[in-house]
Amino acid sequence: MFKALIVDKDEAGATSASVQDISTDRLPEGNVTVAVDYSTVNYKDGLCLGSGGGLVRNYPHVPGIDFAGTVEASDDPRYSVGDKVVLTGWRVGEVHWGGYAQKARVNGDWLVPLPEGLSTRQSMAVGTAGFTAMLAILALEDHGLTPEKGEVLVTGAAGGVGSVATAILAHLGYQVAAVTGRPETEEYLRDLGATRIVAREEIAETVKRPLEAETWAGCVDAVGGAMLARVLGQMKYGASVAAVGLAGGAALPATVVPFLLRGVNLLGIDSVMQPYDNRLRAWQRVSTDLPMDKLEAMIQPATLSDLPTLGADILKGQVKGRVVVDVNA
């Protein structure tokens, strides 16, 4: 028997979540069983903890799109009992039972070895949000971004992706302009390394002009919507925006002018289906380029019983930094 957060849906379509003791024979199919140490809370988790957001197909369900822990049983030759592993993506926690439990059973193809120098707790402080931030930074670098090019904008900076992106970029020597709609997070963002705070209202609305002054050498955008449209018109010639989220909406009320007259690049970042080699590259860079003291400052500890409330909070934009869920507490 082990503890898991079970989300169920009644005949009327209402969902409820509760911590239950369940048997290992209820675990889904997979060739690797992991004793989970930690999980975390992402926007998708908030959806899966509530209505399902169209992501969950079958109930009862165990959410949790990330987890880290120790291999307990394995039919995959790449993993042995006792190995430390990390999982993000692959629709685990959505269509496949996830990490909000003391045990998880998954396909070995979905796992990566825990990077040297990272603990399972630290890896979940990173989680999908931090992994996505690193993928975004790698994409910007691959398209020519270097510190001497100028300021890098991070939107939604106090959230999970934004927090990690700010800390990594600052550590790499970039000047980071952090966008936030929460004035109380200014000190937090400056502690992560932001050199400028940009109020959300300064950049949240579209303007009639398709181009404004060339301001940003790069951007990690977690907001989308009107803010992304505005940012595209403020990018320097040849600069790139890595789009990682849609907290501000999925529509993009923009023109093609920034692409045609300034050679701006809009780079889509997906973390769910990333190939194995890209995952290893990103996790290795996380282990070397994310200052662990900054990571620690982002952590909000939680237990399985805290998750329903935290899921609702993250959907309202009320979670700062990274939640680390100790599933054994």
Side-chain angles (χ1 to χ4, degrees), residues 102-168:
Q102 293 174 321
K103 294 185 189 297
R105 186 176 292 143
V106 295
N107 186 325
D109 290 338
W110 303 340
L111 299 168
V112 294
L114 182 72
E116 200 168 321
L118 278 185
S119 67
T120 52
R121 179 175 177 271
Q122 289 169 330
S123 73
M124 285 299 97
V126 176
T128 282
F131 174 63
T132 303
M134 191 72 249
L135 290 172
I137 293 167
L138 289 171
L140 293 174
E141 289 179 344
D142 290 346
H143 282 78
L145 182 65
T146 57
E148 57 269 19
K149 295 283 181 70
E151 277 187 295
V152 178
L153 189 72
V154 177
T155 70
V161 177
S163 293
V164 178
T166 298
I168 292 174

Side-chain angles (χ1 to χ4, degrees), residues 21-41:
D21 289 309
I22 64 173
S23 170
T24 54
D25 61 15
R26 292 185 63 185
L27 285 169
E29 291 184 359
N31 58 0
V32 181
T33 303
V34 178
V36 178
D37 293 338
Y38 297 97
S39 186
T40 183
V41 180

Side-chain angles (χ1 to χ4, degrees), residues 218-238:
C219 174
V220 177
D221 175 59
V223 176
M227 187 178 295
L228 173 56
R230 180 83 180 272
V231 167
L232 287 169
Q234 298 178 347
M235 302 305 295
K236 291 186 175 183
Y237 188 90

Side-chain angles (χ1 to χ4, degrees), residues 6-324:
I6 303 287
V7 178
D8 215 341
K9 182 175 283 191
D10 64 23
E11 292 181 1
T15 56
S16 60
S18 61
V19 179
Q20 301 177 22
D21 289 309
I22 64 173
S23 170
T24 54
D25 61 15
R26 292 185 63 185
L27 285 169
E29 291 184 359
N31 58 0
V32 181
T33 303
V34 178
V36 178
D37 293 338
Y38 297 97
S39 186
T40 183
V41 180
N42 301 282
Y43 192 86
K44 273 187 181 179
D45 295 312
L47 295 172
C48 295
L49 283 161
S51 66
L55 301 173
V56 180
R57 294 178 181 173
N58 299 298
Y59 292 90
H61 181 65
V62 177
I65 69 171
D66 301 338
F67 66 77
T70 306
V71 173
E72 194 172 78
S74 174
D75 292 325
D76 186 318
R78 293 169 292 182
Y79 298 103
S80 302
V81 173
D83 286 352
K84 300 290 186 181
V85 291
V86 178
L87 182 141
T88 62
W90 297 111
R91 303 215 64 193
V92 170
E94 301 173 42
V95 299
H96 192 92
W97 277 21
Y100 290 166
Q102 293 174 321
K103 294 185 189 297
R105 186 176 292 143
V106 295
N107 186 325
D109 290 338
W110 303 340
L111 299 168
V112 294
L114 182 72
E116 200 168 321
L118 278 185
S119 67
T120 52
R121 179 175 177 271
Q122 289 169 330
S123 73
M124 285 299 97
V126 176
T128 282
F131 174 63
T132 303
M134 191 72 249
L135 290 172
I137 293 167
L138 289 171
L140 293 174
E141 289 179 344
D142 290 346
H143 282 78
L145 182 65
T146 57
E148 57 269 19
K149 295 283 181 70
E151 277 187 295
V152 178
L153 189 72
V154 177
T155 70
V161 177
S163 293
V164 178
T166 298
I168 292 174
L169 287 165
H171 180 71
L172 292 172
Y174 290 91
Q175 289 184 300
V176 180
V179 181
T180 182
R182 294 180 277 173
E184 69 275 12
T185 63
E186 179 172 343
E187 183 179 354
Y188 165 77
L189 291 168
R190 290 198 183 277
D191 287 344
L192 291 181
T195 50
R196 194 203 311 193
I197 305 298
V198 180
R200 181 195 296 159
E201 57 267 22
E202 289 182 26
I203 204 169
E205 295 182 3
T206 53
V207 293
K208 291 183 179 179
R209 302 184 307 281
L211 293 176
E212 298 181 73
E214 296 183 47
T215 306
W216 316 114
C219 174
V220 177
D221 175 59
V223 176
M227 187 178 295
L228 173 56
R230 180 83 180 272
V231 167
L232 287 169
Q234 298 178 347
M235 302 305 295
K236 291 186 175 183
Y237 188 90
S240 300
V241 178
V244 302
L246 42 65
L252 184 59
T255 77
V256 297
V257 172
F259 309 123
L260 303 181
L261 297 188
R262 284 195 186 152
V264 171
N265 304 298
L266 180 57
L267 312 175
I269 307 298
D270 167 65
S271 68
V272 177
M273 307 302 290
Q274 278 291 319
Y276 182 75
D277 288 347
N278 287 358
R279 290 177 182 273
L280 289 182
R281 180 189 179 206
W283 276 109
Q284 185 55 46
R285 284 288 302 272
V286 164
S287 69
T288 58
D289 295 342
L290 176 57
M292 289 303 117
D293 60 329
K294 304 296 185 188
L295 183 66
E296 191 64 35
M298 299 178 204
I299 293 175
Q300 175 183 340
T303 65
L304 289 177
S305 59
D306 297 324
L307 286 168
T309 299
L310 286 167
D313 287 346
I314 200 166
L315 295 181
K316 299 176 203 169
Q318 294 175 350
V319 171
K320 182 180 76 174
R322 299 292 296 131
V323 175
V324 175

